[in-house]
Amino acid sequence: MSEKTISNSNSLEISMPAVQGGSKFFDDDGRLKRTGTVWTASAHIITAVIGSGVLSLAWATAQLGWIAGPAVLFLFSFVTYYTSCLLASCYRSGDPVTGKRNYTYMEAVEANLGGFKVKLCGAIQYLNLFGVAIGYTIAASISMTAIKRSNCFHDSHAENPCHISSTPYMLAFGAMQILFSQIPDFNQISWLSIVAAVMSFTYSSIGLGLGISKVAETGQIRGSLTGISIGTVTPTQKIWRSFQALGAIAFAYSYSLILIEIQDTVKSPPSESKTMKKATLLSVSVTTVFYMLCGCFGYAAFGDLAPGNLLTGFGFYNPFWLLDIANIAIVVHLVGAYQVYCQPLFAFVEKHAARVFPESDFINKEYNIPLPGGFRPYKLNLFRLVWRTIFVIITTIISMLMPFFNDVVGILGAFGFWPLTVYFPVEMYIVQKKIPKWSIRWISLQILSGACLIISIAAAAGSFAGVVTDLQFYRPFQSTY
């Protein structure tokens, strides 16, 4: 949820006749030679993983404490690494060197599991993408209000509480997305990943730096071994918040949806799975160190009062210009990330509609709209215009009805973690490697899957409980920060 910000732009698809065994310029599937390495794959993964989810890690660590917080971060990193290795083994069906390539996560599920599980996987994927659109709208509006509040605090010398409604900013972000959503194949614009990567590292590094400076300034490491204390919250809230923290951490690590697509950029020999396993180890290790630093220094700086979003919870007031830069970086990142993650959903609906109504001009006809400046005419499709606009309006309205960043991040993490990061990779690996039922390996994999299911259910319960609690004090369309 993360903000994961790379897309199919890394996979160059060209229809060419298959060349047996490959050639100097083409791979064995007839596509141009892939050139990806351990380093490029690692860079893609790090770019995809380090997103807006990192901003809630200080809060998550505060709920769990100095013992459980880092332990859970490490546990999720290990599970993510292990199941990613299982998933990497499923890039080719059959032989790991010469087997048929699966270009996307869905293709891998279809090749190994088929039937109902493909439809289930698709439904979970697209619901997750819908949820990400809501989460990104909330996160972007909070950052925009934070910029306004930061300047207000600075101008009033921190005497004005500077309460600002997030609703106008959600509407502005929604209007922006309606415009960008009309660009066909936005996820093929290669510079988008570069911009998003720079932005995510910018605001994550600023958050980490401010946390370190706060600890250095006070000379005090806050927090406790068991997390937020009873009294600050009730015993029941303590339990629900701890569960919700699991969802926030799961969201920060999620990137399984794009692993196969990253692997499809890697050259061979050596086999793509070997390269991908090395890249996964490197990137998950770097990400874990970065997450540990962000989560732990944020908790050390604020203790029980660690904000849900490190850069907008206003534990920091100065330097206000640095906060503005960080929040601008978040907004720029999320404007592009929203499109990157929604494009697969847009494409799915439009292809399905074209299949069901092949004769409909409304769905299939494109009109050339001339553009000034010598640009190619814009191809206007009425169905795309109407349906994408409705989609953005719905996600914006839901965001205004439920503008709770931590709750939404927790729900998304809980909803996507078990099925997409654990269950499908485990089941596909069992089929791919023909692991006998009730063998020690099979039982171990099922125990791992079952344990992660329990964690996901707990995280979902905690996040929904957080929504219920927040709704008791919230009036729709009147949210203020």
Side-chain angles (χ1 to χ4, degrees), residues 11 187 218 228 346 403 426 438:
S11 299
N187 60 331
T218 59
I228 193 166
F346 291 160
V426 164
W438 304 114

Side-chain angles (χ1 to χ4, degrees), residues 5 25 219 243 261 455:
T5 53
F25 300 108
F243 288 164
E261 288 165 336
I455 290 171

Side-chain angles (χ1 to χ4, degrees), residues 391-404:
F391 174 87
V392 175
I393 289 171
I394 290 172
T395 57
T396 305
I397 290 172
I398 294 174
S399 301
M400 290 190 290
L401 286 171
M402 197 180 69
F404 315 125

